[in-house]
Amino acid sequence: MNKLSYLLALCLTSLLTMAQNTETQNTVYICPPCGSSCDDAMHHAPGVCSHCNMPLVKKDDSKTIAFYLQNGVEVLDFAGPMEVFTYAGYKVFTVSATQEPIKSQGVLQVVPDYSIENAPKADILAFFGGNSGAASQNEKVIKWVQGQKDVQYHFSVCTGAFVLAEAGVLDGKTATTFHNALADLEANYLKVDVRKNVRFVDNGNVITTAGISAGIDGALHLVAKLQGLNAAKRTAYYMEYDNWNLGNGLILSDDNPYNQTEPASFYTAFEGTYEHPRSSQVQLIYNRKEGNLVVENKGLQSPVLHIVDDVFSDAGNEPVFFHRNNSGDVIGYSLTKEGTLYKKL
């Protein structure tokens, strides 16, 4: 390489490094909403909130989600996805036809944050089953749904799909709903391609799920689409939702978050026993079902998720840097790029 070429390459490398550093510095991270003072705190690096111990998320990834709730709404229909979305860092508010208290399944009293008259704009609109006819057959509610502009995603659980169908959101699309309501959806909305025996259907910007617990699967799927599969895996781990089968739905969109880029052989190279800063040693194994590494320490397992090359992150979104020798064998890891090396034993 001549001197001019060397100087050009050096200049380009410096510019790329400066751009990457600027991007890192300009990225703002926030705590998932928990109702505490830390909700307003801004951070400039990933990690865990020191106040509530929740993994920080990129501010730009945060969405605002309107949960429409009607009197008689099924508890788990909305409570399951609410758990998913709030942990993932989204701002969820409730809205109903009025702001009068409603009762979920005749047991849980809920006071909506807004009515359809004063509800703010949302990035995502979500609808749920349990007396869903109170919403789907309410002309004012349907007009409100149709009048919402620039909605990025429509999401429904169980018979909440009837609200979307009545508003015309499902026209020409494929959808599913609660197993006892599939025939009614098919008979009453001929423009909808109704599918049976699926946990959720993803049309791209419209996601419908089967009944009750399937809403959790659909919500995790939407998180995976918006923030990447690792964010969804961390959420499922936090919720101890061990029955989540990745991608167990009908995905008709191009943005499939389950296309794993690394083969199993990539992950098995990291398996083994390692030193650990807070215990004598830990075991790292490859979980074939989940498609990621898990660390086993004192009988407990938690995910170790691949980011890029030999960089991973733990369940709290803290980075883990693996190191190799000249032969390419993994010899250990550090918790900062140039930090203490904890050896592979």
Side-chain angles (χ1 to χ4, degrees):
M1 180 183 292
N2 60 41
K3 187 174 181 180
L4 179 59
S5 298
Y6 174 78
L7 289 173
L8 287 172
L10 183 62
C11 181
L12 180 60
T13 301
S14 299
L15 287 173
L16 287 173
T17 301
M18 289 173 63
Q20 290 171 351
N21 290 339
T22 300
E23 181 181 3
T24 301
Q25 291 172 359
N26 290 339
T27 301
V28 176
Y29 294 82
I30 60 173
C31 172
C34 62
S36 300
S37 58
C38 54
D39 285 355
D40 299 322
M42 301 292 177
H43 308 264
H44 296 285
V48 177
C49 174
S50 59
H51 184 274
C52 65
N53 207 35
M54 298 275 273
L56 303 175
V57 298
K58 291 180 181 179
K59 186 178 180 180
D60 290 345
D61 286 342
S62 184
K63 302 292 183 182
T64 300
I65 310 179
F67 272 40
Y68 184 90
L69 307 180
Q70 66 279 351
N71 195 50
V73 65
E74 175 83 23
V75 172
L76 191 56
D77 269 20
F78 75 88
M82 185 176 285
E83 180 78 23
V84 171
F85 291 138
T86 53
Y87 184 80
Y90 305 157
K91 298 174 183 177
V92 178
F93 64 83
T94 56
V95 57
S96 193
T98 71
Q99 284 185 262
E100 293 298 314
I102 63 173
K103 275 203 171 180
S104 175
Q105 290 181 257
V107 177
L108 177 66
Q109 181 168 288
V110 179
V111 180
D113 297 317
Y114 302 97
S115 74
I116 57 175
E117 302 296 333
N118 62 8
K121 181 183 179 299
D123 300 312
I124 301 169
L125 297 182
F127 301 89
F128 308 93
N131 192 33
S132 62
S136 66
Q137 300 308 306
N138 185 324
E139 185 177 350
K140 290 183 178 180
V141 173
I142 297 304
K143 285 185 177 180
W144 174 77
V145 177
Q146 294 171 333
Q148 300 305 296
K149 305 300 181 184
D150 301 321
V151 175
Q152 296 177 20
Y153 290 90
H154 288 87
F155 178 84
S156 73
V157 177
C158 198
T159 55
F162 283 77
V163 182
L164 297 182
E166 187 68 26
V169 175
L170 297 183
D171 286 357
K173 293 184 172 61
T174 304
T176 194
T177 187
F178 183 53
H179 58 81
N180 281 351
L182 287 164
D184 287 341
L185 186 64
E186 193 170 38
N188 293 318
Y189 300 96
L190 301 182
K191 295 181 180 180
V192 182
D193 180 7
V194 179
R195 298 297 179 90
K196 305 173 177 64
N197 301 316
V198 290
R199 294 287 281 177
F200 64 83
V201 177
D202 175 7
N203 291 273
N205 59 355
V206 178
I207 297 173
T208 58
T209 83
I212 313 176
S213 66
I216 299 175
D217 297 59
L220 287 168
H221 174 69
L222 183 51
V223 169
K225 280 167 65 79
L226 292 171
Q227 293 176 252
L229 185 55
N230 283 353
K233 284 183 176 182
R234 286 191 191 92
T235 303
Y237 170 74
Y238 168 79
M239 294 174 61
E240 300 196 48
Y241 189 51
D242 301 329
N243 292 327
W244 182 37
N245 293 318
L246 278 65
N248 185 23
L250 178 60
I251 303 172
L252 303 175
S253 63
D254 294 331
D255 55 341
N256 187 333
Y258 310 102
N259 292 328
Q260 184 173 310
T261 58
E262 303 294 348
S265 57
F266 169 80
Y267 290 97
T268 54
F270 295 90
E271 289 186 307
T273 303
Y274 291 81
E275 295 177 338
H276 191 268
R278 291 187 297 275
S279 61
S280 57
Q281 60 187 37
V282 294
Q283 191 76 21
L284 199 62
I285 57 179
Y286 175 55
N287 186 316
R288 294 183 181 275
K289 177 185 175 184
E290 297 179 2
N292 56 254
L293 297 172
V294 294
V295 61
E296 186 172 280
N297 185 12
K298 298 178 181 178
L300 297 176
Q301 289 189 349
S302 61
V304 178
L305 304 170
H306 183 233
I307 304 299
V308 63
D309 298 329
D310 288 341
V311 182
F312 288 68
S313 62
D314 62 15
N317 203 21
E318 297 283 0
V320 180
F321 301 88
F322 284 93
H323 300 269
R324 297 177 186 264
N325 59 20
N326 291 334
S327 300
D329 301 319
V330 177
I331 59 172
Y333 69 93
S334 61
L335 300 179
T336 60
K337 194 170 184 179
E338 305 297 335
T340 301
L341 178 69
Y342 297 100
K343 296 178 182 179
K344 186 177 183 182
L345 304 175

